[in-house]
Amino acid sequence: MIQLTNVSKIYPNGAKALADVSLRIGKGEFVFLVGPSGAGKSTLIRLLYREEHPSRGLVSFNGQNLVRMKEREVPFLRRKIGVIFQDFKLLPRKTVRENVGFALEVLGLQRHEVAVRAEKALELVGLTKKLKAFPHQLSGGEQQRVCVARAIVNDPALLMADEPTGNLDPDTSWEIMDLLHNINKKGTTVVMATHAKDIVDQMKKRVVAIEQGRIARDDEKGGYGYEL
Amino acid sequence: MSFSSAKYVLRETLSSVKRNLWLSIASVMTVMVSLIILGFSAFFLANTSNVAQSFESQVEISAFVHTNVPETQVQALETKIKAMPGVSSVVLVTKAQGLAQFGQSLGKAGGNLVSDLAGTNPLPDKFTIKATDPRRVQTLADQLRQFTELKSVRYGQGVVDRLLQFTRWLRWMGAGVIIAFGAAAVVLISINIKMNVFSRRREIQIMKLVGASNWFIRWPFLVEGLFLGLAGGILAAILVGTGYNWLAGYVSSTLAFLPVVRSTWLFWQVQTSLLVLGMVIGAAGSALSLRKFLNV
């Protein structure tokens, strides 16, 4: 489903984020991306939903070449990919329900269907009591959950998460992990960048470690592997 | 665009205006102030050019006929002058009329003078000729001098030249004022729209990352710009309209010598231009300012 071939990424300021990375992720997999901060995990995720272009190499998703993809096709790519952003990226002037519904509005769905499905997604993350709240009225953890709900509301083929448990207490973190696990069981591919050692160690999923822009380790049913 | 997305755009526009109420009001005010200035400049231009025209139309040639020319020949001359190219009107002031006018202009003493002359009339017949274009007065005068029946042909030589210079300046000034204020209006409005869009660039970026197409983001902005521009245009049209009517009434009652344009056609032309301009500037400004933020 995802294929990176000899991908390098150097940002305009000269920072080398990825160096000659090749990686294959199949449909239905659950993959943890681990590694020190600044190793290139977030860059890898950004390449996949086409927020960034690789400096060299090939990125493809479902057989589509993302490097040569036309600007007007990008929205259609992003509609197939749910992203849980590190900084949530919620629309500040929209309510919780509107934020989640926005991922459906862009598909041109009817207002009623948008509302019903948004509420369903918010039920999954346990936020039904704050449908009409604005993001700034929520705690960090609640905002995180809104972001999760928005990422899963349109049943994406690929769900990517950049530190989805970074701002959450352990209990809520596990709730989110259960959610991702269940979504994965229904067939959605999940790629998650994280520093949460205990989660990685307990889940026994594929672990790809990235260090200084290179893949240092790629284990099936691996562990976090770094001492904290 | 389907029906449900049209409804989405309208809902989105309304909620955006509601949730950004102060910014929306500021936008409407900016458009309004700019268009008020522009509207008044338009009326100013119309009036300066009208004043210039009315000054120019007062330029006339006086041609005096030899006193020994018989009346029939004078009338023949009148038709000949009327047929000349560039002549807009010819008025014949006969000796008798001339004397009566002269007498009147002298008031009480005039009556005595006319009676003192006791039937003799030293005044010649006179043609008052107006040219279609004041710049042709000189050539016209030269042509008139060819007629042997005419004793002398006069027009305010130096005065006409200076007058033409003045009216040309007046017209340039009117055009300059409208161009300057038009440019100022465009700058003001575009700064406001840019601020509006800039303050929402993060939202635009997020929308793109969640899979919104450019048009999906653009439409609500466009329609919002259109409505805010139209609102500003309506306010400006009302204020400019009532303001100008009041001002025109005031000027024509106090400075009666200044001709004021009070044509309903011009009035509605300016009013509709303000509305249309408001909408176009609002919508186009939003769309253009969005451009660089859509590349995410």
Side-chain angles (χ1 to χ4, degrees), chain A residues 47-117:
Chain A
L47 289 175
L48 287 170
Y49 61 86
R50 249 291 303 258
E51 194 182 353
E52 297 290 349
H53 290 268
S55 309
R56 259 195 307 281
L58 193 80
V59 181
S60 78
F61 173 79
N62 274 346
Q64 267 183 301
N65 182 345
L66 300 196
V67 181
R68 296 176 124 192
M69 177 176 265
K70 292 196 183 84
E71 259 337 293
R72 61 188 156 79
E73 292 170 29
V74 172
F76 298 96
L77 166 77
R78 289 177 181 161
R79 289 171 199 176
K80 283 180 245 160
I81 300 176
V83 184
I84 303 166
F85 298 95
Q86 204 168 3
D87 56 349
F88 320 139
K89 294 202 192 299
L90 299 178
L91 296 164
R93 276 177 275 231
K94 285 186 185 293
T95 64
V96 165
R97 184 169 51 191
E98 287 167 345
N99 260 288
V100 176
F102 191 81
L104 301 171
E105 298 267 20
V106 300
L107 303 174
L109 295 187
Q110 294 288 327
R111 192 186 182 188
H112 176 70
E113 201 186 344
V114 168
V116 169
R117 283 179 62 180

Side-chain angles (χ1 to χ4, degrees), chain A residues 49-51 71 74-76 78-79 83 85 87-95 98 102-103 105-111 134 150, chain B residues 2 4-5 7-8 11-12 15 19-20 23 196 199-200 202-214 216-217 294-296:
Chain A
Y49 61 86
R50 249 291 303 258
E51 194 182 353
E71 259 337 293
V74 172
F76 298 96
R78 289 177 181 161
R79 289 171 199 176
V83 184
F85 298 95
D87 56 349
F88 320 139
K89 294 202 192 299
L90 299 178
L91 296 164
R93 276 177 275 231
K94 285 186 185 293
T95 64
E98 287 167 345
F102 191 81
E105 298 267 20
V106 300
L107 303 174
L109 295 187
Q110 294 288 327
R111 192 186 182 188
F134 287 93
R150 182 181 61 189
Chain B
S2 70
S4 83
S5 36
K7 275 200 299 191
Y8 163 81
R11 238 185 308 126
E12 203 49 22
S15 93
R19 286 175 193 170
N20 303 293
L23 201 56
N196 198 341
S199 76
R200 289 156 79 174
R202 205 179 124 76
E203 284 173 64
I204 296 165
Q205 185 208 9
I206 295 170
M207 289 175 175
K208 289 260 355 212
L209 291 182
V210 181
S213 63
N214 285 352
F216 189 83
I217 295 170
L294 283 174
N295 278 327
V296 177

Side-chain angles (χ1 to χ4, degrees), chain A residues 13-43:
Chain A
N13 64 8
K16 286 177 191 165
L18 292 174
D20 204 27
V21 168
S22 293
L23 179 67
R24 254 184 98 100
I25 295 172
K27 192 168 159 40
E29 275 197 80
F30 195 118
V31 181
F32 284 117
L33 297 176
V34 299
S37 299
K41 305 187 295 290
S42 298
T43 300

